[in-house]
Amino acid sequence: MNISMAEVRKLAHIPKVIVHSLDLMLYQVSIELNGVEHMVTDSKGKMLRAHSTLEMQTLFEDLPVGKLLLRHQSAYDEMINQPLRQGSNMLEVPLGRNRLGTVKQTIQ
């Protein structure tokens, strides 16, 4: 399911924001609502993409977010022709709330 960033901004609480690491310096973002992940899109319906986790964090800086996570799934096993794993190799790492807007205002 998809949800636009405009709709995300209207939410009273966002339990979980997941920044997906797709490739070296390429990220997409989803939010989890009621146990369901929704990919976040722009006003034209295209998936939001960024070239750094900081760009993604900035989008959610002033929003009521519970958890902010970076998610990565490695294709390494497949690349070196290893047998399929029984479980996922997904890794989720908490991202800090850096108060990037505050830093930007101080610098300017």
Side-chain angles (χ1 to χ4, degrees), residues 10-27:
K10 294 176 187 175
L11 295 172
H13 179 66
I14 307 163
K16 187 192 277 189
V17 174
I18 305 158
V19 177
H20 301 266
S21 174
L22 302 179
D23 197 9
L24 184 62
M25 295 180 60
L26 183 59
Y27 303 91

Side-chain angles (χ1 to χ4, degrees), residues 19-29 48-57 59 70:
V19 177
H20 301 266
S21 174
L22 302 179
D23 197 9
L24 184 62
M25 295 180 60
L26 183 59
Y27 303 91
Q28 286 183 331
V29 66
L48 284 183
R49 288 194 172 186
H51 294 287
S52 77
T53 57
L54 290 177
E55 284 181 67
M56 287 298 189
Q57 286 176 280
L59 292 174
L70 173 66

Side-chain angles (χ1 to χ4, degrees), residues 47-74:
M47 301 287 183
L48 284 183
R49 288 194 172 186
H51 294 287
S52 77
T53 57
L54 290 177
E55 284 181 67
M56 287 298 189
Q57 286 176 280
T58 302
L59 292 174
F60 294 89
E61 185 67 30
D62 297 323
L63 298 179
V65 173
K67 293 180 184 177
L68 183 61
L69 304 170
L70 173 66
R71 181 182 287 171
H72 178 74
Q73 285 184 285
S74 176

Side-chain angles (χ1 to χ4, degrees), residues 32-56:
E32 187 176 291
L33 299 171
N34 301 318
V36 178
E37 274 190 41
H38 302 267
M39 294 304 293
V40 181
T41 64
D42 63 14
S43 60
K44 296 178 184 176
K46 288 187 169 189
M47 301 287 183
L48 284 183
R49 288 194 172 186
H51 294 287
S52 77
T53 57
L54 290 177
E55 284 181 67
M56 287 298 189

Side-chain angles (χ1 to χ4, degrees), residues 72-78 85-92:
H72 178 74
Q73 285 184 285
S74 176
Y76 182 75
D77 289 343
E78 182 181 326
R85 292 179 182 228
Q86 292 295 325
S88 171
N89 67 359
M90 179 176 62
L91 174 68
E92 285 189 347

